[in-house]
Amino acid sequence: MSEIDVTEVFEKCLGCRYMVAILRRIEQGIQRPGQLEKAVDGMTAKVLSERLKRLVEYGVVEKTSYSEIPPRVEYTLSTFGQRLLEIIDEVDILHKEARLKK
Amino acid sequence: MSEIDVTEVFEKCLGCRYMVAILRRIEQGIQRPGQLEKAVDGMTAKVLSERLKRLVEYGVVEKTSYSEIPPRVEYTLSTFGQRLLEIIDEVDILHKEARLKK
DNA sequence: CGGAATCCAAGAAGATACTG
DNA sequence: CAGTATCTTCTTGGATTCCG
């Protein structure tokens, strides 16, 4: 398997549109694609689908498929994903502090 | 002034190509554009220039211009930028751990 | 040397339609 | 409902040139 640098994690998992929003919604318990689509403003199903695929690829979220009709799928944060979100919040706080000082 | 969400910091300051590499080089003491251009593989002067401009805009780095001939310019990490880099390293470690478990 | 302007190629994202 | 494929549009990055 290829060596994945952290730079790649930032570029592919955090740098694109909606990513942080998607992760936050999943953390809040919104785990099905249909719900996520409605919960993130402006995001289409196609883009959501691509994002989720990538997040699974990088081990940020985990996917569970239930063999039902109609099909049901759920995404949850991996341990790595949970820590990532904590770190995002940390940056959030830092950023606000930095802006206050100006 | 507009409200800058942390999402934007990730998308604009960390998510694009070369950003993490540039920050790391600055941290290592490479502070002049000409040097940075050589230090980051594949990056052109134009792109570097755009990145530095944005990093200043978001308060991640600070710019100092010396009125000399030829002109000299230096970029340094702000406090926010330093913390950001620490956090990047943290994600780096997390990411490696997450990969080992698989 | 630093950086802005221009032009072009490549990649990301929006809109729609279609399959299991 | 979830996910893929296609097509178009917009944004990003690469190459080059010019100015202070």
Side-chain angles (χ1 to χ4, degrees):
Chain A
M1 197 200 255
S2 63
E3 261 302 304
I4 300 180
D5 185 69
V6 71
T7 301
E8 220 182 303
V9 177
F10 279 102
E11 289 181 18
K12 304 286 185 183
C13 293
L14 298 176
C16 17
R17 211 168 164 186
Y18 309 122
M19 274 298 197
V20 176
I22 293 171
L23 291 176
R24 286 230 167 102
R25 296 303 179 290
I26 295 179
E27 185 190 36
Q28 288 162 12
I30 305 177
Q31 298 165 339
R32 299 184 58 181
Q35 302 297 318
L36 283 167
E37 188 186 343
K38 287 173 204 157
V40 179
D41 198 61
M43 180 185 60
T44 64
K46 178 208 150 194
V47 175
L48 170 64
S49 199
E50 290 171 351
R51 295 290 171 276
L52 289 172
K53 201 174 173 184
R54 187 175 292 167
L55 288 171
V56 171
E57 206 179 309
Y58 282 81
V60 180
V61 304
E62 278 150 20
K63 174 180 180 173
T64 313
S65 303
Y66 300 90
S67 301
E68 304 172 358
I69 304 290
R72 182 163 61 101
V73 177
E74 286 180 5
Y75 292 89
T76 53
L77 292 178
S78 67
T79 311
F80 176 46
Q82 287 172 32
R83 290 285 296 116
L84 215 50
L85 217 36
E86 286 171 26
I87 286 171
I88 290 170
D89 290 335
E90 215 179 310
V91 175
D92 201 353
I93 292 166
L94 273 177
H95 182 242
K96 282 180 182 138
E97 285 174 2
R99 299 198 74 225
L100 283 179
K101 286 185 191 161
K102 296 224 216 175
Chain B
M1 198 200 257
S2 64
E3 260 304 304
I4 301 179
D5 185 70
V6 72
T7 301
E8 223 181 300
V9 177
F10 279 100
E11 288 183 14
K12 304 287 185 185
C13 293
L14 298 176
C16 18
R17 210 167 164 186
Y18 309 122
M19 273 299 196
V20 176
I22 293 171
L23 291 176
R24 285 230 166 101
R25 296 303 179 289
I26 295 179
E27 184 190 37
Q28 288 161 14
I30 305 176
Q31 299 165 339
R32 299 184 59 183
Q35 302 296 317
L36 283 168
E37 188 185 342
K38 288 173 204 156
V40 179
D41 197 61
M43 181 186 60
T44 64
K46 178 208 151 195
V47 175
L48 170 64
S49 198
E50 290 171 350
R51 295 290 171 276
L52 289 172
K53 199 174 173 185
R54 187 175 293 168
L55 289 171
V56 171
E57 207 178 308
Y58 282 81
V60 181
V61 305
E62 277 150 21
K63 175 181 180 174
T64 315
S65 302
Y66 299 90
S67 301
E68 303 172 359
I69 304 289
R72 183 163 60 100
V73 177
E74 286 180 5
Y75 291 88
T76 53
L77 292 178
S78 67
T79 311
F80 177 46
Q82 288 172 31
R83 291 284 297 117
L84 216 49
L85 217 36
E86 287 171 26
I87 287 171
I88 290 170
D89 290 335
E90 218 178 309
V91 175
D92 202 353
I93 292 166
L94 272 178
H95 182 242
K96 282 179 182 140
E97 286 175 1
R99 299 198 75 227
L100 283 179
K101 286 186 193 162
K102 298 225 219 175

